[in-house]
Amino acid sequence: MEQNKRGRPGLDPGSVPEPNLKPHPGQPGVWTASGRPRDWNGNYRRITRSSPPETDTRGRAKPDRTGERARRAFLDAAQEWIDSSVTLAGALNKRSTLSQLWAAYKGDLRKRGRLEETIKNYEPMMRDTVIPKYGHREIGLINTAVIEDMLDHVGRERGGSGPRILKENILSGMFRFGIRVGALPPGNPVREALLPKPSNFSRRRGGAAFMDSATVERLLIGVYTSTAPCPTLDARAVKPARNYQVPTVAQFCDTYDVADWVLFVAATGWRLGQTLGVCESDIDFDTGILTPRGAVRTRDGSAQVWTDYTAHDAEDLNQDKFISKSVQLPQLVLDVLAARISRLKKVRLALPPRPDDANWPQDLLFFDLDDGGPRNLKSMGARWRRLAAALGLPAGVSPHSLRKHLGTEGISAGLDVTKVADQLGNTSRVLRKSYVRRHQPHADVTAMISGKLGPALDEVARRRSG
């Protein structure tokens, strides 16, 4: 049977106990205060202080009648010693608030080289939704039930994928950080929390749907020539303007300059932000080599910025999917892009003067028709959904589906997996896991099975006929 430990219970890190006060044996009017505070690293230290001298208005020594001066001297010395021992592990404890944990976690993200843009994307949800309601709660009192209540609150206030982003991208890492620095005991309360069921948002498992070659062909023909009506998808009851005519798919794509972009995505298999960040000067029309220099990304929740990920000060971006990867474009695509560049010279003449604070290249291949700057990622997604609905494309098809189509067709054609991965800017493992359509019939596998079983079946037929 385990015996109870004798003595006083241990102090929490960073705590200062009340001192033991005693009159000084040899100095009347002087007291001594002693105690053992505990620093942020868990270490104890005995500190003793005597009553500091104090005089009245006539310069006469004043006695410390109650020992209060000695007590204050002890508390000041103990707190100074504790403050000098503050480290990363001691800056937080179980009595720290959620807002303090969030501030420390942001500092840790910056220390470990996370993108400042990532932190800015997290900030609005924490600052405007989570911190006002839960910011003063002690992290030692936050359990799984509190986390689920927090996710429900974010779901009501922000909707969409807000609860999932909060749990998987913010809270999970933040509480792991708290455990790592010793502020929380082992056992992440976020791990077992269940996401609320969204009422107005459905998330498709597996990401974008796959597209076969016939659907891609129908899409490319449609964006240039389709006469099918392309109405708005706005569900609100809006009175149409007088003499308004619903545009065809081809007219819609021409108005918003979408057709060439769809072809470019199908030809490269690149992500949305990468395709919108390509510049005319990135293309060598003699060799057909395209070497991108930047991508369009979202900053502060809404602003669209062009980010140069080849600059010397953008080392954090030169990783994984943001690294500059050269690809070679087919001649047919180069011809379309060459004609596009010639046509854009007239379009640029009608644009307003370039702003003084513009931070994007002047030769973006796909630019906003209002100011010549980067296109809005959400607006491009909305335009895709409108033309996809007009063309009757399968549910779940997005621009990322063209990326999956290129990966699936490349592997099916017998190309080396490394070459296909280089085209998409992925590793071979990610390519096989996410960008190749699985569980499909394969004619070569069928031929192999037929070759193995054929002789036996022929022998069976021969014996039955004999």
Side-chain angles (χ1 to χ4, degrees):
M1 180 177 179
E2 183 179 357
Q3 298 292 330
N4 293 331
K5 293 183 178 180
R6 304 177 65 181
R8 296 180 180 179
L11 296 174
D12 291 332
S15 300
V16 180
E18 280 295 322
N20 183 22
L21 292 173
K22 293 182 179 180
H24 196 282
Q27 300 181 21
V30 177
W31 290 68
T32 59
S34 63
R36 297 177 67 245
R38 192 178 189 187
D39 68 6
W40 290 112
N41 298 315
N43 300 319
Y44 289 91
R45 179 179 179 180
R46 177 162 293 280
I47 296 178
T48 302
R49 290 293 183 272
S50 299
S51 302
E54 187 174 335
T55 58
D56 59 13
T57 56
R58 296 184 180 181
R60 296 176 298 183
K62 293 177 59 178
D64 185 8
R65 301 185 184 278
T66 63
E68 181 61 24
R69 296 210 310 262
R71 177 179 175 273
R72 290 200 304 267
F74 165 81
L75 294 178
D76 292 341
Q79 192 62 52
E80 182 180 359
W81 174 70
I82 290 176
D83 292 343
S84 66
S85 69
V86 172
T87 62
L88 178 63
L92 297 171
N93 57 59
K94 64 181 181 180
R95 295 181 179 176
S96 300
T97 62
L98 185 69
S99 59
Q100 292 173 332
L101 177 62
W102 167 239
Y105 180 54
K106 288 190 294 184
D108 183 67
L109 290 178
R110 294 187 177 97
K111 179 180 177 181
R112 293 188 289 114
R114 293 295 296 273
L115 300 179
E116 189 66 28
E117 181 178 343
T118 300
I119 302 174
K120 289 182 178 180
N121 289 338
Y122 294 165
E123 186 66 37
M125 182 183 298
M126 296 297 295
R127 180 190 64 235
D128 302 332
T129 308
V130 178
I131 296 300
K133 184 174 182 179
Y134 302 94
H136 298 292
R137 187 182 292 263
E138 294 183 4
I139 58 176
L141 302 178
I142 296 179
N143 53 25
T144 301
V146 177
I147 297 295
E148 291 186 351
D149 183 72
M150 199 180 302
L151 298 176
D152 289 337
H153 174 66
V154 171
R156 292 190 300 269
E157 294 294 323
R158 306 183 75 92
S161 58
R164 178 182 59 83
I165 295 174
L166 177 64
K167 176 187 176 183
E168 299 177 0
N169 296 6
I170 303 177
L171 292 182
S172 181
M174 187 165 66
F175 276 83
R176 281 201 306 268
F177 164 73
I179 295 171
R180 176 165 60 86
V181 300
L184 293 171
N188 194 335
V190 184
R191 184 182 301 114
E192 304 299 331
L194 299 179
L195 289 171
K197 184 177 181 180
S199 58
N200 58 350
F201 178 79
S202 59
R203 182 187 178 202
R204 189 182 187 278
R205 294 291 178 182
F210 284 90
M211 299 175 66
D212 55 24
S213 296
T215 304
V216 174
E217 181 179 354
R218 178 158 61 92
L219 170 65
L220 294 179
I221 295 175
V223 295
Y224 285 104
T225 63
S226 177
T227 58
C230 189
T232 179
L233 299 180
D234 195 345
R236 297 174 298 175
V238 179
K239 184 178 180 180
R242 181 177 297 180
N243 300 328
Y244 173 77
Q245 293 183 352
V246 176
T248 65
V249 172
Q251 290 172 343
F252 172 77
C253 293
D254 183 65
T255 301
Y256 293 99
D257 192 19
V258 176
D260 290 344
W261 169 73
V262 172
L263 172 64
F264 187 81
V265 177
T268 58
W270 284 355
R271 302 171 182 86
L272 175 60
Q274 288 177 296
T275 58
L276 297 180
V278 172
C279 303
E280 298 173 6
S281 56
D282 295 340
I283 307 173
D284 186 344
F285 285 91
D286 294 332
T287 62
I289 301 297
L290 166 61
T291 305
R293 295 182 290 114
V296 174
R297 310 184 71 196
T298 301
R299 178 168 294 171
D300 296 334
S302 61
Q304 310 297 308
V305 297
W306 184 87
T307 305
D308 184 355
Y309 49 71
T310 63
H312 67 280
D313 58 346
E315 296 179 358
D316 293 335
L317 292 176
N318 281 319
Q319 301 174 14
D320 302 331
K321 61 184 179 182
F322 299 113
I323 197 169
S324 178
K325 302 178 178 69
S326 299
V327 298
Q328 188 168 18
L329 299 176
Q331 186 60 47
L332 295 174
V333 178
L334 289 172
D335 294 340
V336 173
L337 296 181
R340 172 182 177 78
I341 292 174
S342 299
R343 187 172 66 252
L344 291 181
K345 293 180 180 179
K346 298 180 180 179
V347 177
R348 285 194 170 92
L349 294 177
L351 294 176
R354 181 179 172 87
D356 296 335
D357 59 347
N359 57 357
W360 61 79
Q362 300 187 27
D363 62 338
L364 285 173
L365 188 61
F366 304 101
F367 54 84
D368 190 283
L369 298 179
D370 293 331
D371 59 4
R375 292 192 178 184
N376 188 287
L377 302 180
K378 292 184 178 180
S379 298
M380 293 301 294
R383 291 166 187 169
W384 168 275
R385 290 190 294 273
R386 182 172 174 179
L387 69 89
L391 293 176
L393 299 183
V397 166
S398 71
H400 215 71
S401 300
L402 294 172
R403 180 175 175 82
K404 291 188 173 184
H405 168 262
L406 196 150
T408 300
E409 293 300 320
I411 297 300
S412 300
L415 299 180
D416 183 75
V417 65
T418 304
K419 296 180 180 179
V420 181
D422 286 345
Q423 173 73 27
L424 299 181
N426 278 119
T427 62
S428 302
R429 179 183 61 82
V430 174
L431 172 66
R432 293 186 182 277
K433 179 181 179 181
S434 303
Y435 293 97
V436 177
R437 191 169 189 174
R438 302 294 306 277
H439 312 300
Q440 300 298 309
H442 301 283
D444 51 351
V445 177
T446 304
M448 181 273 294
I449 296 174
S450 178
K452 296 297 183 181
L453 303 183
L457 296 179
D458 291 342
E459 180 64 18
V460 170
R462 186 187 67 78
R463 293 188 180 186
R464 284 182 176 178
S465 62

